[in-house]
Amino acid sequence: QVQLVESGGGSVQSGGSLRLSCAASGDTYGSYLMAWFRQAPGKEREGVAAIDRADSPSYAHSVSGRFTISQDKAKNTVYLQTNSLKPEDTATYFCAASTKNVVVSPLEEYEYKIWGQGTQVTVSS
């Protein structure tokens, strides 16, 4: 089984940046898609970005142009570079992995069954 551990969260002011990391351990051979989700207090979990084994990304409209997802397959690590952060980006950010051969909706929660514990991002104005 794959285990995911997020890091890199913190507190920044509006306009700041953070780089989040998701380190995967265990047998990662069957992981076909990695993604970042976030959840703010009182809100449902929201898909932020996803990346497949060919490095093709998907982004939510709310972060398009500001966030970049990438991966280092040799290090079994996925990154989320968050730029131009806004207070509405404040949330707990979760890393997720899918073992499905075909993913129809890469930013939908139901596509993923392996999750990390999350890292907190707080953006102040």
Side-chain angles (χ1 to χ4, degrees), residues 39-76:
Q39 188 166 26
K43 303 283 188 177
E44 71 177 78
R45 193 164 297 186
E46 171 191 22
V48 175
I51 189 166
D52 66 14
R53 297 176 73 87
D55 292 327
S56 296
S58 300
Y59 296 101
H61 288 142
S62 59
V63 305
S64 181
R66 299 188 297 121
F67 291 9
T68 302
I69 188 170
S70 62
Q71 62 188 339
D72 186 333
K73 296 174 184 176
K75 296 182 178 180
N76 292 320

Side-chain angles (χ1 to χ4, degrees), residues 90-103:
T90 295
T92 301
Y93 284 70
F94 298 89
C95 182
S98 174
T99 59
K100 299 168 66 175
N101 286 306
V102 178
V103 173

